[in-house]
Amino acid sequence: MAELRMASNGTAEVIEVATRSGRLPWTDDTLIGRLAIPDPERVIAVDAPLTQAACGRCDRPVCPGTEACEEPAVVWLRTEGRGLVQKVGAETINGGPRALQHGSQARLVPYAHRATDVVMTYQRGLLPLSSLGAANSQITARAGQLRRRLRGAGYQLHGNLLEVSPAATIAALCGPRAARGYKRDADPWVTRAQILERFGDLSFAPQSRMAREDVLRNDHCFDAVISGYTAYLWAREGWELPTGCFAEDGWIFSPP
């Protein structure tokens, strides 16, 4: 977990990075104890899916099937989503220039895929194909519970509770090579240091002590700081939620 604040000069400042809550691990209760504090000036950014795929949210007693379903997110998947996948496939086959991180095609299904994941993967090229389907996991279930518990403290999805992806933020600002390498390079410390150097509006406060070294050494700490930095950019630049099915289906906020 990382805590950042907006400094008096308008830049982002890391004031704490913590892998534990004192001597305790970040269990559900310790995490809620730290985060569920009403504060109109605070924004919480979570690097995990905060919504389920459409079928997971559905309460219909009988499923009409993907082709007949009128749920907006399902309609989007079988129209715009399929179009994005087919477009990428055609460009790959025809040898066109590729800026995306993959050349494979996915079979989109509403019980596994969300519209935002398809956009980030096939339209913007910020996330790899392996990220598709991440909305069905134990991590998603835990993030969903966190979202519901934080609602009691006044944190609303897309308002002051954001779903983010450090990898997507890094890909947007530093390129896909850096996004792949900050965890996988032979010496990821160097890659992480280079990424931080590119963020001239991000610094470490004196009271953060050894936080910068922890961030460079630990990929979880690094992800936490980039998540907080993404929330800072969201607040500073006023990113808006796209219209359509994304309010309910979910949206990963990342630099445009």
Side-chain angles (χ1 to χ4, degrees):
M1 190 206 71
E3 183 173 350
L4 285 70
R5 68 184 177 192
M6 186 175 290
S8 57
N9 61 359
T11 61
E13 196 172 49
V14 180
I15 60 176
E16 182 185 4
V17 177
T19 57
R20 300 174 68 85
S21 176
R23 295 184 177 181
L24 300 175
W26 287 118
T27 63
D28 294 339
D29 289 337
T30 56
L31 194 59
I32 287 295
R34 177 63 182 268
L35 297 179
I37 301 173
D39 185 348
E41 301 298 321
R42 174 188 281 183
V43 176
I44 297 176
V46 179
D47 172 23
L50 291 174
T51 57
Q52 294 180 302
C55 289
R57 306 190 307 270
C58 182
D59 58 0
R60 293 177 175 86
V62 177
C63 177
T66 301
E67 301 305 318
C69 184
E70 297 179 354
E71 168 66 29
V74 180
V75 174
W76 190 96
L77 285 177
R78 70 170 184 256
T79 54
E80 296 185 51
R82 285 179 184 171
L84 288 174
V85 172
Q86 292 167 359
K87 180 180 178 182
V88 169
E91 290 177 353
T92 303
I93 292 173
N94 295 331
R98 302 299 305 129
L100 304 186
Q101 299 185 39
H102 58 82
S104 302
Q105 294 192 48
R107 177 177 172 270
L108 302 181
V109 289
Y111 51 80
H113 301 125
R114 300 182 304 164
T116 185
D117 302 313
V118 178
V119 169
M120 291 295 156
T121 301
Y122 281 98
Q123 185 176 70
R124 299 201 59 198
L126 299 181
L127 293 176
L129 185 63
S130 59
S131 67
L132 286 175
N136 294 284
S137 67
Q138 184 176 356
I139 293 175
T140 303
R142 187 185 187 193
Q145 186 205 43
L146 177 66
R147 170 191 170 185
R148 291 189 295 274
R149 294 186 69 177
L150 287 175
R151 187 183 299 142
Y155 293 94
Q156 297 294 328
L157 185 64
H158 311 315
N160 51 4
L161 177 62
L162 310 178
E163 179 180 339
V164 301
S165 167
T169 294
I170 294 170
L173 298 177
C174 304
R177 171 66 185 83
R180 291 193 303 268
Y182 82 94
K183 289 187 178 182
R184 296 164 49 186
D185 279 352
D187 189 359
W189 192 100
V190 174
T191 304
R192 294 170 193 158
Q194 292 172 343
I195 291 171
L196 291 181
E197 287 178 3
R198 295 188 62 171
F199 299 160
D201 51 0
L202 175 64
S203 63
F204 289 79
Q207 66 263 41
S208 66
R209 295 180 294 181
M210 300 295 289
R212 188 176 189 276
E213 285 68 26
D214 290 338
V215 166
L216 294 176
R217 183 174 60 249
N218 186 302
D219 58 348
H220 298 295
C221 292
F222 187 84
D223 278 344
V225 167
I226 300 302
S227 295
Y229 179 66
T230 304
Y232 158 76
L233 294 177
W234 168 87
R236 187 187 72 182
E237 300 177 5
W239 301 342
E240 294 185 357
L241 178 72
T243 58
C245 66
F246 301 101
E248 185 175 2
D249 199 51
W251 182 251
I252 300 171
F253 285 93
S254 61

